[in-house]
Amino acid sequence: MEQLGDIKSWRRYADEQRARGRDVALVPTMGALHDGHASLFRAAKQSGAVVIATLFVNPRQFGDAADLKAYPRTPHEDAVVAKENGVDCLVEPSLVEMWPDYPEATPTTVSVHGIGDVLEGAERPGHFDGVASVVTKLFSITGLCRAYFGEKDFQQVAVVRQMVRDLALPVQIVGCPIVRDPDGLAISSRNDLLSVEGRAQALALSRSLRSLSPADPASAQRRRLRDVLEAAGVEIAYAEIVEPTTFKACRDDESGPRRALVAGLVEGVRLIDNAPVTLVAQAH
Ligand code: PAF
């Protein structure tokens, strides 16, 4: 596995691969790699492409300095996980190359309105601007590629898809299924911050999604989510059913496949999860 740290050699590496006729796959990460990331690396590898993974803790997508400081950094372990799961080139760009003006504000920002303003966007102002800005830069350096994202961050994938469409970026977005522990908890680096009791409480997120019925209107589905979360004592941030491309909240006269998304605080740790759901319109 090649390891690079500067933008010039990263761009050259991707250009050389394409010149040799290889497809390029990009897996953007912030490190602290776990089985969810490993599944993205493996999916990218299985597609036959040369796999570039990036490891950059992007300060622009963190709301407060404490959250950024607390973010786990495990570069040595990350290199092992990347290598063992098929990454051909691991890039760890420096902060000064990625955001030369930091800690001053970067004058250029990519904003995806609508999808980026609700749920996670409303709860964490500026978060999706930070994500969209850094992902645009990662795409601009890598060039023509397929980019792999985990669907645990379902709204992030929708924001990135919209951005790629609107800016005609030469990138095909591949959303990959959520990886769960055997008990149902969606894998996240934040899970390590939970006590044994907290982890048991956190299972309410996936349980709430499993409680959804294949034959109810939106408001009844929302109530199911909230009931399970409240019974477990989870401090709910949101429990919503949305149209999966526009992220508009669903009404009771809608039928068909939609997405259920939940977010909440357990022991002060912010957790999210989501699942597909089918709505049946309320009979009048
Ligand atoms: O999902 C993440 O880890 C980050 O939001 C991403 C896509 C790497 C951008 O910093």
Side-chain angles (χ1 to χ4, degrees):
M1 183 178 76
E2 191 128 3
Q3 285 189 254
L4 303 176
D6 67 290
I7 289 177
K8 203 169 160 198
S9 46
W10 161 13
R11 182 171 267 143
R12 192 185 318 118
Y13 180 89
D15 286 344
E16 281 172 4
Q17 299 306 323
R18 282 185 294 268
R20 286 186 202 150
R22 303 287 310 269
D23 285 344
V24 172
L26 175 71
V27 187
T29 83
M30 296 204 298
L33 301 178
H34 49 60
D35 286 353
H37 297 109
S39 77
L40 302 180
F41 299 152
R42 289 195 297 271
K45 190 72 177 177
Q46 275 159 17
S47 77
V50 168
V51 181
I52 301 177
T54 57
L55 199 164
F56 177 64
V57 182
N58 172 32
R60 294 185 64 188
Q61 68 188 78
F62 287 83
D64 68 86
D67 201 19
L68 172 62
K69 196 157 175 242
Y71 198 82
R73 286 164 175 85
T74 54
H76 299 296
E77 292 85 341
D78 290 349
V80 175
V81 175
K83 190 169 178 194
E84 285 178 351
N85 288 281
V87 172
D88 297 292
C89 177
L90 182 64
V91 185
E92 283 180 68
S94 67
L95 179 58
V96 71
E97 267 209 298
M98 287 302 284
W99 302 129
D101 296 310
Y102 190 84
E104 299 300 319
T106 303
T108 306
T109 294
V110 179
S111 293
V112 180
H113 294 297
I115 306 176
D117 295 331
V118 297
L119 304 183
E120 288 296 294
E123 290 275 324
R124 304 171 70 190
H127 170 67
F128 282 130
D129 284 359
V131 170
S133 300
V134 79
V135 171
T136 302
K137 186 151 183 174
L138 303 178
F139 288 175
S140 145
I141 297 163
T142 308
L144 180 74
C145 66
R146 280 192 295 276
Y148 289 71
F149 291 86
E151 287 190 337
K152 188 173 87 62
D153 294 299
F154 191 78
Q155 193 175 1
Q156 169 171 277
V157 183
V159 164
V160 171
R161 278 188 204 283
Q162 181 74 45
M163 178 186 98
V164 163
R165 206 189 72 175
D166 291 345
L167 302 180
L169 302 176
V171 180
Q172 183 195 335
I173 304 302
V174 183
C176 296
I178 298 174
V179 179
R180 296 181 182 280
D181 281 330
D183 59 10
L185 189 66
I187 292 183
S188 159
S189 34
R190 289 172 190 256
N191 296 351
D192 294 344
L193 304 171
L194 299 169
S195 70
V196 174
E197 296 75 28
R199 198 196 147 81
Q201 195 183 11
L203 290 176
L205 273 83
S206 53
R207 198 162 63 241
S208 74
L209 295 165
R210 287 198 304 277
S211 80
L212 293 169
S213 143
D216 268 340
S219 60
Q221 306 280 22
R222 261 183 220 110
R223 214 162 30 245
R224 282 173 192 278
L225 296 173
R226 297 196 88 87
D227 285 351
V228 175
L229 294 170
E230 274 164 18
V234 174
E235 194 183 317
I236 301 173
Y238 56 78
E240 192 49 274
I241 314 287
V242 302
E243 200 290 323
T245 51
T246 62
F247 270 70
K248 290 218 164 82
C250 295
R251 300 179 318 264
D252 276 351
D253 60 356
E254 291 178 44
S255 289
R258 299 289 189 272
R259 202 82 186 184
L261 298 105
V262 290
L265 280 182
V266 173
E267 295 179 331
V269 180
R270 198 164 181 288
L271 301 173
I272 58 173
D273 203 348
N274 69 84
V277 59
T278 304
L279 298 184
V280 172
Q282 192 157 44
H284 288 289

PDB file of all heavy atoms in Angstrom, residues 28-30 58 61 131 134-135 149 153 156, ligand 1:
ATOM      1  N   PRO A  28     -13.571   8.374   1.049  1.00  0.00           N
ATOM      2  CA  PRO A  28     -13.201   9.437   1.980  1.00  0.00           C
ATOM      3  C   PRO A  28     -13.521   9.027   3.417  1.00  0.00           C
ATOM      4  O   PRO A  28     -14.611   8.516   3.690  1.00  0.00           O
ATOM      5  CB  PRO A  28     -14.102  10.615   1.573  1.00  0.00           C
ATOM      6  CG  PRO A  28     -14.773  10.207   0.291  1.00  0.00           C
ATOM      7  CD  PRO A  28     -14.786   8.717   0.286  1.00  0.00           C
ATOM      8  N   THR A  29     -12.565   9.237   4.338  1.00  0.00           N
ATOM      9  CA  THR A  29     -12.826   8.927   5.751  1.00  0.00           C
ATOM     10  C   THR A  29     -12.188  10.004   6.631  1.00  0.00           C
ATOM     11  O   THR A  29     -11.352  10.770   6.174  1.00  0.00           O
ATOM     12  CB  THR A  29     -12.232   7.567   6.199  1.00  0.00           C
ATOM     13  OG1 THR A  29     -10.846   7.731   6.526  1.00  0.00           O
ATOM     14  CG2 THR A  29     -12.377   6.490   5.142  1.00  0.00           C
ATOM     15  N   MET A  30     -12.587   9.969   7.905  1.00  0.00           N
ATOM     16  CA  MET A  30     -11.913  10.829   8.886  1.00  0.00           C
ATOM     17  C   MET A  30     -11.085   9.954   9.839  1.00  0.00           C
ATOM     18  O   MET A  30     -10.769  10.353  10.958  1.00  0.00           O
ATOM     19  CB  MET A  30     -12.930  11.662   9.668  1.00  0.00           C
ATOM     20  CG  MET A  30     -13.674  12.637   8.752  1.00  0.00           C
ATOM     21  SD  MET A  30     -14.341  14.055   9.615  1.00  0.00           S
ATOM     22  CE  MET A  30     -15.467  13.267  10.732  1.00  0.00           C
ATOM     23  N   ASN A  58     -11.772  16.619   9.233  1.00  0.00           N
ATOM     24  CA  ASN A  58     -12.099  17.916   8.632  1.00  0.00           C
ATOM     25  C   ASN A  58     -12.687  18.875   9.669  1.00  0.00           C
ATOM     26  O   ASN A  58     -13.850  18.738  10.052  1.00  0.00           O
ATOM     27  CB  ASN A  58     -13.122  17.673   7.508  1.00  0.00           C
ATOM     28  CG  ASN A  58     -13.676  18.958   6.946  1.00  0.00           C
ATOM     29  OD1 ASN A  58     -12.982  19.973   6.899  1.00  0.00           O
ATOM     30  ND2 ASN A  58     -14.932  18.915   6.504  1.00  0.00           N
ATOM     31  N   GLN A  61     -16.392  20.624   9.517  1.00  0.00           N
ATOM     32  CA  GLN A  61     -17.708  19.992   9.689  1.00  0.00           C
ATOM     33  C   GLN A  61     -18.051  19.747  11.162  1.00  0.00           C
ATOM     34  O   GLN A  61     -19.061  19.109  11.461  1.00  0.00           O
ATOM     35  CB  GLN A  61     -17.793  18.710   8.874  1.00  0.00           C
ATOM     36  CG  GLN A  61     -16.907  17.565   9.320  1.00  0.00           C
ATOM     37  CD  GLN A  61     -16.930  16.426   8.321  1.00  0.00           C
ATOM     38  OE1 GLN A  61     -16.296  16.470   7.278  1.00  0.00           O
ATOM     39  NE2 GLN A  61     -17.686  15.366   8.621  1.00  0.00           N
ATOM     40  N   VAL A 131     -18.965  19.425   5.207  1.00  0.00           N
ATOM     41  CA  VAL A 131     -18.853  18.148   4.488  1.00  0.00           C
ATOM     42  C   VAL A 131     -18.785  18.414   2.976  1.00  0.00           C
ATOM     43  O   VAL A 131     -17.895  17.911   2.277  1.00  0.00           O
ATOM     44  CB  VAL A 131     -20.045  17.218   4.816  1.00  0.00           C
ATOM     45  CG1 VAL A 131     -20.046  16.002   3.889  1.00  0.00           C
ATOM     46  CG2 VAL A 131     -20.012  16.775   6.272  1.00  0.00           C
ATOM     47  N   VAL A 134     -15.422  19.976   1.893  1.00  0.00           N
ATOM     48  CA  VAL A 134     -14.247  19.093   1.880  1.00  0.00           C
ATOM     49  C   VAL A 134     -14.394  18.012   0.806  1.00  0.00           C
ATOM     50  O   VAL A 134     -13.430  17.672   0.121  1.00  0.00           O
ATOM     51  CB  VAL A 134     -13.957  18.488   3.279  1.00  0.00           C
ATOM     52  CG1 VAL A 134     -14.868  17.323   3.606  1.00  0.00           C
ATOM     53  CG2 VAL A 134     -12.512  18.058   3.372  1.00  0.00           C
ATOM     54  N   VAL A 135     -15.619  17.476   0.648  1.00  0.00           N
ATOM     55  CA  VAL A 135     -15.805  16.404  -0.343  1.00  0.00           C
ATOM     56  C   VAL A 135     -15.581  16.960  -1.759  1.00  0.00           C
ATOM     57  O   VAL A 135     -14.990  16.294  -2.616  1.00  0.00           O
ATOM     58  CB  VAL A 135     -17.189  15.728  -0.176  1.00  0.00           C
ATOM     59  CG1 VAL A 135     -17.482  14.778  -1.322  1.00  0.00           C
ATOM     60  CG2 VAL A 135     -17.245  14.971   1.146  1.00  0.00           C
ATOM     61  N   PHE A 149     -19.572   5.725  -0.037  1.00  0.00           N
ATOM     62  CA  PHE A 149     -20.019   6.309   1.234  1.00  0.00           C
ATOM     63  C   PHE A 149     -20.949   5.321   1.931  1.00  0.00           C
ATOM     64  O   PHE A 149     -21.739   4.637   1.275  1.00  0.00           O
ATOM     65  CB  PHE A 149     -20.806   7.607   0.990  1.00  0.00           C
ATOM     66  CG  PHE A 149     -19.969   8.739   0.472  1.00  0.00           C
ATOM     67  CD1 PHE A 149     -19.733   8.878  -0.881  1.00  0.00           C
ATOM     68  CD2 PHE A 149     -19.410   9.667   1.339  1.00  0.00           C
ATOM     69  CE1 PHE A 149     -18.956   9.920  -1.378  1.00  0.00           C
ATOM     70  CE2 PHE A 149     -18.629  10.712   0.864  1.00  0.00           C
ATOM     71  CZ  PHE A 149     -18.403  10.839  -0.495  1.00  0.00           C
ATOM     72  N   ASP A 153     -24.771   7.330   7.295  1.00  0.00           N
ATOM     73  CA  ASP A 153     -24.927   8.782   7.120  1.00  0.00           C
ATOM     74  C   ASP A 153     -25.774   9.006   5.864  1.00  0.00           C
ATOM     75  O   ASP A 153     -25.286   9.541   4.854  1.00  0.00           O
ATOM     76  CB  ASP A 153     -23.558   9.446   6.997  1.00  0.00           C
ATOM     77  CG  ASP A 153     -22.770   9.329   8.278  1.00  0.00           C
ATOM     78  OD1 ASP A 153     -23.233   9.838   9.312  1.00  0.00           O
ATOM     79  OD2 ASP A 153     -21.707   8.685   8.265  1.00  0.00           O
ATOM     80  N   GLN A 156     -26.019  12.497   4.502  1.00  0.00           N
ATOM     81  CA  GLN A 156     -24.753  12.932   3.900  1.00  0.00           C
ATOM     82  C   GLN A 156     -24.653  12.423   2.461  1.00  0.00           C
ATOM     83  O   GLN A 156     -24.228  13.151   1.559  1.00  0.00           O
ATOM     84  CB  GLN A 156     -23.583  12.402   4.737  1.00  0.00           C
ATOM     85  CG  GLN A 156     -22.224  12.571   4.083  1.00  0.00           C
ATOM     86  CD  GLN A 156     -21.084  12.242   5.020  1.00  0.00           C
ATOM     87  OE1 GLN A 156     -20.669  13.083   5.809  1.00  0.00           O
ATOM     88  NE2 GLN A 156     -20.557  11.028   4.949  1.00  0.00           N
TER      89      GLN A 156
HETATM   90  O1  PAF B   1     -18.375  10.535   6.724  1.00  0.00           O
HETATM   91  C1  PAF B   1     -17.258  11.038   7.008  1.00  0.00           C
HETATM   92  O2  PAF B   1     -16.392  10.392   7.598  1.00  0.00           O
HETATM   93  C2  PAF B   1     -16.980  12.488   6.620  1.00  0.00           C
HETATM   94  O3  PAF B   1     -18.125  13.264   6.720  1.00  0.00           O
HETATM   95  C3  PAF B   1     -16.346  12.628   5.224  1.00  0.00           C
HETATM   96  C4  PAF B   1     -17.282  12.162   4.134  1.00  0.00           C
HETATM   97  C5  PAF B   1     -15.044  11.829   5.164  1.00  0.00           C
HETATM   98  C6  PAF B   1     -16.012  14.099   4.970  1.00  0.00           C
HETATM   99  O4  PAF B   1     -15.108  14.607   5.897  1.00  0.00           O
END
